[in-house]
């Protein structure tokens, strides 16, 4: 699961190297769904309790939060325009 959660890092590197021009290649829906999926699994793992489900999904939750923050920073503060990201 670590490879799955960390795989968008390649796209984040492309966005960084292109100074936001590659933002069209990143789907916000996928990252948002990854965030909510991991959130629900962490909640499920804590309250069931099913502790083996928690560490991997905390990694995914953290990664999704970082990816979304990274991309939205390019949209909001650097003025990159992308129809996929609402601009």
């Amino acid at each position: 699961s670590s490879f799955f959660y960390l795989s968008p890092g390649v796209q984040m590197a492309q966005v960084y190297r292109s100074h936001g021009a590659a933002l069209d290649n990143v789907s916000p829906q996928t990252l948002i769904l990854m965030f909510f999926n991991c959130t629900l699994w962490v909640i499920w793992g804590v309250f069931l309790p099913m502790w083996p489900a928690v560490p991997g999904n905390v990694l995914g939750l953290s990664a999704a939060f970082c990816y979304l923050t990274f991309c939205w920073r390019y949209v909001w503060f650097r003025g990159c325009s992308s129809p996929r990201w609402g601009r």
Side-chain angles (χ1 to χ4, degrees):
S1 70
S2 300
F3 293 115
F4 172 75
Y5 295 136
L6 300 177
S7 63
V10 175
Q11 289 179 317
M12 299 307 121
Q14 291 172 350
V15 170
Y16 178 76
R17 283 193 296 265
S18 70
H19 302 287
L23 199 57
D24 285 334
N25 298 334
V26 181
S27 172
Q29 291 87 1
T30 303
L31 297 178
I32 291 168
L33 288 173
M34 179 177 156
F35 179 83
F36 285 121
N37 176 49
C38 292
T39 300
L40 291 174
W41 273 107
V42 168
I43 292 169
W44 179 266
V46 168
F47 288 110
L48 188 56
M50 189 171 65
W51 296 110
V54 174
N57 285 294
V58 167
L59 172 67
L61 179 64
S62 303
F65 178 79
C66 290
Y67 299 149
L68 287 168
T69 304
F70 179 78
C71 291
W72 276 327
R73 184 180 56 130
Y74 271 98
V75 172
W76 290 335
F77 299 118
R78 300 205 178 189
C80 295
S81 62
S82 172
R84 295 180 109 180
W85 289 88
R87 292 226 179 197

